[in-house]
Amino acid sequence: MKARIVVLASGSGSNFHAVLNAIDRGEVDAEVVRLIASRPAIGAIEKAENANIPSVVVQRKHFDSPESYENALLDELSSAKPDLIVLAGFLVQIPVLIIRAFENKIINIHPSLLPDFGGKGFYGIKVHEAVIKAGKRESGCTVHMVTENYDEGPILAQSKVPVLPSDTAEYLAKRVLDAEHKLLPKTIQTILKNQIP
Ligand code: GRF
């Protein structure tokens, strides 16, 4: 039986797309069974529709309390029976309830070489601006396990890219994103091979 992946996304979904492409090429032996989006009308949802993957929006503002939101998210995840949950640009902190329910089954991709430039406030273009401001010669991306400490779970894989003297945050972001699109599918396949008989 193929491993079941659920992807969570908040944005354009290019990493999600990279995973789908790798599955199509036979490089990842799995199927994406559901996309959970944190808001409507995002690129990730369009990509799910094009690939005939069921998607659902679970948005905090539609719920009266944090608890009802967390339970709805938990229900969506549980009913998909995932072997692996992939946060691919999901801009919402995963509730502890969910981390505990899916221990060692949730991974995230972050656009820096963690532990550098991770944690609160380091998301999107802000990460790359900070890397350039700090004068770093090297950046990259990290796939890590999601634990209760934000951006601090065990590192599973990293890929490095150079920071060029002429770089703007946008150029660097593009170079890192290209590296993400290779690293994420590769790491997923490694995890699935090691975890699932
Ligand atoms: C990526 O840079 C990822 O590292 C970060 O959010 C971005 C998502 O981009 N967590 P996309 O939606 O996959 O294009």
Side-chain angles (χ1 to χ4, degrees), residues 116-132:
D116 293 344
F117 307 100
K120 215 171 177 328
F122 284 119
Y123 59 89
I125 202 73
K126 289 178 195 293
V127 173
H128 309 294
E129 284 166 356
V131 169
I132 288 176

Side-chain angles (χ1 to χ4, degrees), residues 114-163:
L114 289 174
D116 293 344
F117 307 100
K120 215 171 177 328
F122 284 119
Y123 59 89
I125 202 73
K126 289 178 195 293
V127 173
H128 309 294
E129 284 166 356
V131 169
I132 288 176
K133 198 166 171 213
K136 295 285 177 189
R137 307 283 295 273
E138 206 169 48
S139 189
C141 49
T142 303
V143 178
H144 66 94
M145 204 58 93
V146 174
T147 61
E148 292 178 32
N149 301 328
Y150 193 61
D151 277 351
E152 285 178 15
I155 290 173
L156 303 170
Q158 287 186 314
S159 173
K160 291 180 178 170
V161 304
V163 180

Side-chain angles (χ1 to χ4, degrees), residues 7-22 25 35 42-48 86-90 109 111 173-174 176-185 188:
V7 174
L8 278 69
S10 301
S12 76
S14 70
N15 277 292
F16 169 44
H17 198 225
V19 173
L20 295 178
N21 286 340
R25 289 195 300 267
L35 170 79
I42 56 173
I45 295 177
E46 201 183 314
K47 290 180 172 81
V86 178
L87 311 185
F90 194 60
I109 181 140
K174 168 81 178 71
V176 171
L177 195 60
D178 286 345
E180 291 181 43
H181 295 163
K182 296 189 185 83
L183 186 70
L184 184 59
I188 289 174

